[in-house]
Amino acid sequence: MSTAGFIALTDTPVTVPLPEQSSASAGLDFATADNITIVEDGVYRVDFHVLGSYGEIGNVNVSLAIDGTPQPGGMLAYELLASELITFTLTNYYTLTAGAQLSLQMFASVPGNFFFAATGPSATLSVERVA
């Protein structure tokens, strides 16, 4: 979970800071900063939620990355107006192996700052083993 103020975006993906961890996280490892590491092979439900606004007019992309690679079934992109509040929310299921590292990445068509919501969690990555 992140309560960061903003993140500078370009056309190169950057990892979203996720400094706050859940205490109810059996089977997951948080030793690597801004990542969730899978401890056990299985099928996982993965959800992400990002809330904020962009300082420019342009396309903003949020994606789930596994081992640093954005996943085609885990990407959302919206064209935003400057300072328009937007919520990116996605749920999908993935077969993952132990050691896989999950993170959120963002990039934009026009360089600028993405401002996270001023209060509450503004970026959340949730992972749950289902099989």
Side-chain angles (χ1 to χ4, degrees):
M1 187 169 17
S2 180
T3 55
F6 72 92
I7 188 170
L9 301 180
T10 65
D11 60 357
T12 302
V14 293
T15 300
V16 175
L18 299 170
E20 300 177 38
Q21 302 165 8
S22 169
S23 59
S25 302
L28 303 172
D29 179 4
F30 298 94
T32 303
D34 304 324
N35 283 264
I36 296 175
T37 302
I38 301 301
V39 175
E40 193 175 337
D41 294 357
V43 177
Y44 289 80
R45 175 183 164 154
V46 178
D47 303 270
F48 70 69
H49 175 84
V50 176
L51 173 64
S53 62
Y54 195 53
E56 307 295 330
I57 296 173
N59 291 317
V60 174
N61 297 265
V62 178
S63 65
L64 170 71
I66 299 176
D67 296 327
T69 302
Q71 300 302 297
M75 184 180 294
L76 290 175
Y78 294 115
E79 185 170 346
L80 304 180
L81 299 175
S83 302
E84 177 183 24
L85 189 62
I86 186 72
T87 302
F88 296 86
T89 301
L90 187 85
T91 298
N92 210 339
Y93 293 84
Y94 297 89
T95 300
L96 301 170
T97 57
Q101 292 190 334
L102 283 61
S103 62
L104 291 179
Q105 294 183 344
M106 294 182 75
F107 63 95
S109 62
V110 175
N113 292 326
F114 185 87
F115 297 93
F116 293 105
T119 60
S122 49
T124 303
L125 176 60
S126 175
V127 181
E128 176 185 13
R129 186 169 186 253
V130 296

